[in-house]
Amino acid sequence: MANKVFTGTGRRKSSVAQVRMVAGKGNITVNGRDVRDFFPYETNVMDLKQPLVATNNEETFDIEVKVNGGGFTGQTGAIRLGITRALLEYDAANEGKEDSYRTILKRAGFITRDSRMKERKKPGLKAARRAPQFSKR
């Protein structure tokens, strides 16, 4: 596992994250910047680290992320899914076992992609569902 790179792609809303995971000390870099410099809120950082915490790998891997599109919340969700997929690639040999990462991450709900997207605007309406104000006279 010396130079082995594990990859995962995550998507959320309109954000796409490409995650590269290598054995290291637990450093996370997002678009060339430290994760705490990139995201303005500590909750975003905690959210994207959840798969690492669940599998006890917080200080096992160095993670390099390229993310674009969307806002901070969408990007955080995309990175979390990318990290989850990279962990699954790392632990592919133990997939059928009860203590596998897949079992742990599935139980925590990290494997499923959050498919909620912004609804499109319809013709004749002001927004996706917002109709113009009705006037009786």
Side-chain angles (χ1 to χ4, degrees):
M1 192 181 108
N3 296 352
K4 188 83 170 102
V5 177
F6 304 99
T7 59
T9 302
R11 292 180 188 85
R12 169 82 170 93
K13 293 187 174 182
S14 61
S15 301
V16 179
Q18 296 171 323
V19 176
R20 292 180 74 236
M21 202 167 70
V22 184
K25 293 183 166 55
N27 300 324
I28 301 176
T29 309
V30 180
N31 290 352
R33 293 162 53 189
D34 184 60
V35 69
R36 295 186 194 287
D37 295 337
F38 189 82
F39 289 112
Y41 306 112
E42 189 62 33
T43 52
N44 294 129
V45 178
M46 287 171 33
D47 193 30
L48 70 86
K49 283 185 175 182
Q50 284 178 329
L52 297 169
V53 172
T55 57
N56 296 322
N57 285 315
E58 296 161 273
E59 294 167 6
T60 310
F61 297 106
D62 284 342
I63 298 173
E64 187 180 312
V65 181
K66 288 181 188 170
V67 66
N68 58 5
F72 293 127
T73 307
Q75 289 181 349
T76 302
I79 293 170
R80 183 171 78 175
L81 182 59
I83 290 172
T84 300
R85 288 181 173 170
L87 283 169
L88 291 177
E89 185 182 317
Y90 165 72
D91 194 50
N94 297 334
E95 197 162 318
K97 299 190 173 95
E98 195 173 306
D99 62 338
S100 70
Y101 287 174
R102 182 168 194 83
T103 309
I104 295 166
L105 295 168
K106 183 78 170 173
R107 201 173 296 134
F110 298 140
I111 292 178
T112 308
R113 184 208 190 277
D114 192 344
S115 62
R116 294 177 294 171
M117 299 281 281
K118 184 176 178 181
E119 190 174 340
R120 80 174 193 88
K121 182 191 175 300
K122 278 64 166 205
L125 301 180
K126 291 179 176 258
R129 299 182 186 205
R130 169 78 173 105
Q133 187 173 6
F134 175 74
S135 174
K136 196 166 191 177
R137 288 175 192 79

